[in-house]
Amino acid sequence: MSKRTKTLRDELLDKTPEICSERATIFTESMKETVGEPITVRRAKAFSDVLSGMSIYIREGDLIVGNQARSPRAAPIFPEYSVEWIEEELDGEPYYFEERPNDVFTIAEDAEEQIREVIEYWRGKTTLKNLRELLPEEANKAWDIGAIDEGWVSEGGFGNVLPDYEDLLSQGLKGIIEHAEDKLDELDLREPGSAKKKWFLESVIKSNRAVIDFAHRFANRLEEMAEEVKDPARRKELEEMQNNCRNAPENPAETFWEALQAVWFIHLAIQIESNGHAISLGRFDQYLYPYYKKDIEKGRLTREEALELVEAFFVKANEVNKLRPWSGAKFFPGYHMAENLAIGGQTKDGQDAVNEVTNVVLDATRNMGLPKPSVSLKWFEGASEEFMEEALKVVQEHSGGMPAFYNDKGVTRMLKNMGVAEEDLYNWAPVGCIEASIPGKWDFAAKGAWLNVAKILELILNGGEDPETGINLRPIEKDIRTFESGREILETFKNPLKYYMDLQVITEHMNDEVHIQHDINAFRSSLIEDTIERGKSLIEGGSVYSADGGPTVGSMTAGDSIAAIEALVFEDKKLTRDELYHALKTNFEDDGTYPTGEEVRQLLWNKGPKFGNDDD
């Protein structure tokens, strides 16, 4: 890495993240002024107000600019989604933000005061509150016992979005605005449903203009800095950065540096709009390569300069942050954002897509050793052995699982079975954790209800009853004391699993409807194909493709648990059913029995078969 990017990285990682109140305060004041207007319009106005009113900064040595909050690694607050957990943690339940075991945040006195005022306004008005009030009683109880977990509902809007950056870089946001204006001119307000389309299209125009103006704010600041700086080399950089922000993302990008800056502004704006999880960057090496190639050929860029720019981009990716409830932070430690960035794969004509930008990204991944973005490599059978060997070396040197490897052929086969058009298959990219998406065409949202399969097993082992609350939504005649085999437990699993899956689906659909009422985001939607043509946001079904999978956790834990019971209780008879029942009832904490709770726990943990060991 360069001396500059090392300094930027090290200074960033030395900083403890803070909670920023600006977005919450500006957004709330704007929403107060627009009560009664369509939600699409209200959110677009609030988004515009946030981008025009929030603090902006430029760090010493920055090559890419644009910030999400008032300081690097600071996390904004999105109170419209939920506020109860924020208030609880401000009061120290279960921890104060600054005393958490991981994902610590500091908060200034003035920021805390502002956030508490914001909480008072949003109390009883949030999407989470509305969802819980509308859900059937059974679904709410399933949520309360943890069979269905709240997932992302508390944190922000829908995520897992992947724009088509190739298209955005070639037309600029100005192209999106012109498209929306054309569709607006075509509208016949006498037609049913056209009023809602009008509001959406007007919001698309307003929100895209707000992002352009946001970029121009940085251009103005850079212009001022260039006039004041004495170092001629830095002055030249600032002047070029000013030109980058003045032109892109409004207009088509002209250089590699400008394209990187435009991608960053768009990526950042999606985060600021709704805090959705897993906002991803797509096939980074493919859409940036034409700009790299042109700049190299014209002699205005060297490979070393390109590498430094990509490293600077990686630093910016680690400046953005998300504030989660402790219930989420303890399971997703490390200020996790799931900003996926893809390299490799195949071209449209089925050739190896690896290019020099692919190798630049590998070098940046190795050099920076950062947790974000989540670099993913699409393994294509046409890739050279030399390239794959180098990628494996990067995995070893990064020591953080990057790049992750995806089987290109396996994913394209899956997508084809899902109905994705042949011409789109090659261009898929991973979004968030592992989801495969088509850039600019897919609404693949991370929704609110996680199904906890391990929790459902706990219920089954206790006759359907939740040991903590006593709630029993699906009584079962047997419990661990009366089952005769692991196979019988597995067979018993099917009925309650289906029951809780149905409640998960109900929760997901009702969550959609609540977001349609409270959370239509025009900027994010406008970046995905067909929303403008249809005059519909993503949540209303505006995209070319739309697929949801209810998130599931605990499947491997449940499988390992049943295997351990089968091995230790029914086959090897190292434990009796009563001994296991007692250990579970006492949370493995009874030291006065034989075997002790800890002895039972160790037996189950160490002596049972485990998933992932090639054991059918």
Side-chain angles (χ1 to χ4, degrees), residues 189-205:
L189 291 178
R190 295 171 298 178
E191 291 293 325
S194 59
K196 196 170 186 180
K197 291 181 181 180
K198 175 179 182 291
W199 299 330
F200 173 69
L201 293 170
E202 288 173 342
S203 299
V204 164
I205 294 165

Side-chain angles (χ1 to χ4, degrees), residues 47 51 126 138 228 295 328 453 494 531 535 553 571 578:
F47 178 56
L51 293 183
T126 64
E138 284 180 293
E228 296 170 0
D295 284 0
V453 180
K494 294 177 181 178
T531 56
V553 294
E571 292 180 355
D578 286 336

Side-chain angles (χ1 to χ4, degrees), residues 549-561:
T552 302
V553 294
S555 297
M556 287 177 278
T557 299
D560 284 350
S561 299

